[in-house]
Amino acid sequence: MPLDTADIERDWDTPVVDAGIAAKASIIARVGLLDLRAGTGSFRIHELMHRIGYPLGVHVRANINLTDMDVSCSDGVSRITQVVDLPTTGVNTERIWLLEHFADWFSVNIGEPGTTYHAQTSVSTAMVQQLDNPEAQRSVLSATQKAHRELEKRKRVHEKAVKRVKKRGFRPPKGQYAKHFEHIGKTREDVVAEQAAAAEAQAKTEAASAQSQAGNRPRVDAAISNSAVRAENVAVNANRENGSSRISDSSVRIDGSNVNNAVNENAGNASAASTSAAMKSASSKSQAEPKATTMVAKANRGITVRQAHERLSLIQHRKPLYAPWFSGLASAVACACFVFLLGGGPFDMIGAFVGAGIGHWVRRRLFIYHLNQFFVTFVAVAVAAFACIGTLRLIGFFDPVALRHDTAYIGAMLFVIPGFPLITGGLDIAKMDLPSGIQRLVYTMALILMATLAGWMVATIVHLNPQGFEPLGLNPWVNTALRALTAFGGVWGFSVLFNSPQRMCFTAAFIGAITDTLRLTVVDMGMPPEAAAFLGAMLAGLLASAWRSSVRHGFLPPYLGYPRICLTVPAIVIMVPGLYMYRAMFYLGQFDTLNALDWAFKAFMVILCLPIGLAMARVITDKSWRYDV
């Protein structure tokens, strides 16, 4: 969005609270645009922009779509509307997390700490301040904790030094370094008094120098004064000797007037010089005081528009946390675990591991060139499917059993499941934001269509007929333990694909291991998959809310507070019925419409229940969702 317009540049170095409506609206709209680019739902963008606008006295109304938004801001006097758009969309949970901390940092630095979300705002302040630290590129939280440890270390060293001085006393060194220790033991008042005395001495020096520049006039005046004194003495002596009081009085009176005139003239010259020096000093002080006063006033009024945009630029231009090869590895782990949860065995997991790893690596490399998302999705899925099938055919040379695993390639393409827009679209509809929710669901269906179409074309080329996975026949307790382990690994892998920091990945994986294991267990007990999906999603939402509340109330460390959406979506994305959707497309390609509709409606019911479960958890735990106000 443009920031070089005259109405924004005019207030660029003005405190935000004193800036015009255009400068304030630029910050509000940019925060919303960055959050929209991160892939979150419109309900969160509304909330975040309100958190920025409320402390500024700005009322915000926004119409948010999938890739564009128009924002109207009013402060009761003026109103401005900005329309901004994006070339594409994506998912970046780290940015969602940082923008939440930016909102708290912003509130604290404009003097409105009561509008923050986190109970301990020092974490948000430290994290946002560390964004320009080169070490923060890999991990903002690690850089913040390292800076905090260094600060604590310096404090301990200082406290030890103070205790040692109090115990042993302090004797400053002598010689050329003595002046560097003169401040020790002095209060601030002492320092101010010394500065005032130094300024007064400088004024006297300037007055003396101005007097010396007057030339020889002081010497003449002094000579006159001395001669007058001598004449007075002579007149007094004559008066004593001759008894002529009249002459002596007149002599004293005349000479006394000369003395007074000489003294008054010298005093006048010195006074003029002192006045000139004082005026010169006052003039320089009067020129410096407005600048200092302005700087102090601006500092007291909080951060400027420039400082706010600088922090937002640091958030905007952060590079992905993980290299393409590591993201490929995470995709491989996630899809291999996904295959096991669907009922696959070791050969299926190996094929999905290789195919998903290569496919996502290709996907990341193609996105560098800003290619069309649907084209990239089609190519990445095709590459993943061919890599999976090729791996199993290669293993088949050594173990022919691997050739019978013709469903594994479906698991290799599950890394393209658009879980974020799918879930956030449902949540937007639950919040009555129908345009945004419908657009996100349509976008999701388009991506799924491209992915399943690519998989069906590969299966047609290599003559595959996937019929599902063979039962493994594991002990129920062993099966449950393996499900919990693979659910943890699957959610961790998808969290990495969403660019989550590692602590956030492990937190989401912990929630996902509980919820997905429970979902599969109740399905084995006879519950319909749709109801189990609803139960698992609602439990994930409740656990995420409990985690966040524990951080807010101090039961967990403050740096472990993450947005709910960053924990719940990765935790339930492995519940998305990718196998159902692919089989629907497979039967549709064979014009078997009855089976195609059967699998399509099964997938639709599960997909429908996932956001409903999350919305129900929000209604239970969040009063802003409980009431339509």
Side-chain angles (χ1 to χ4, degrees), residues 511 515 518 531-545 568 572 575 609-621:
I511 295 174
T515 57
L518 175 66
F534 170 83
L535 180 63
M538 186 176 69
L539 180 60
L542 293 174
L543 289 176
S545 297
T568 54
I572 69 174
M575 302 181 190
C609 289
L610 291 176
I612 292 178
L614 283 183
M616 189 63 66
R618 291 297 293 265
V619 168
I620 294 173
T621 59

Side-chain angles (χ1 to χ4, degrees), residues 202-214 273 277 280:
Q202 183 179 2
K204 291 182 179 179
T205 303
E206 291 178 355
S209 63
Q211 183 177 2
S212 65
Q213 291 176 0
K280 194 180 298 182

Side-chain angles (χ1 to χ4, degrees), residues 270-330:
S271 176
S274 301
T275 304
S276 175
M279 290 177 63
K280 194 180 298 182
S281 175
S283 176
S284 62
K285 187 182 294 184
S286 65
Q287 293 176 359
E289 281 181 355
K291 293 183 179 180
T293 304
T294 303
M295 292 175 64
V296 172
K298 285 185 177 181
N300 292 335
R301 297 292 288 169
I303 58 174
T304 62
V305 176
R306 178 194 299 273
Q307 291 171 329
H309 278 293
E310 285 176 349
R311 294 294 131 181
L312 289 175
S313 296
L314 291 172
I315 295 175
Q316 177 182 354
H317 298 298
R318 282 184 62 80
K319 296 180 181 179
L321 293 176
Y322 309 106
W325 70 266
F326 191 85
S327 294
L329 176 63

Side-chain angles (χ1 to χ4, degrees), residues 47 109 119 124 161 237 246 248 267 302 331 395 400 466 532 537 574 584 588 611:
E47 177 187 348
N109 283 276
S124 299
N237 291 333
R246 182 178 60 82
S248 63
S331 173
I395 296 175
I574 57 175
L588 185 63

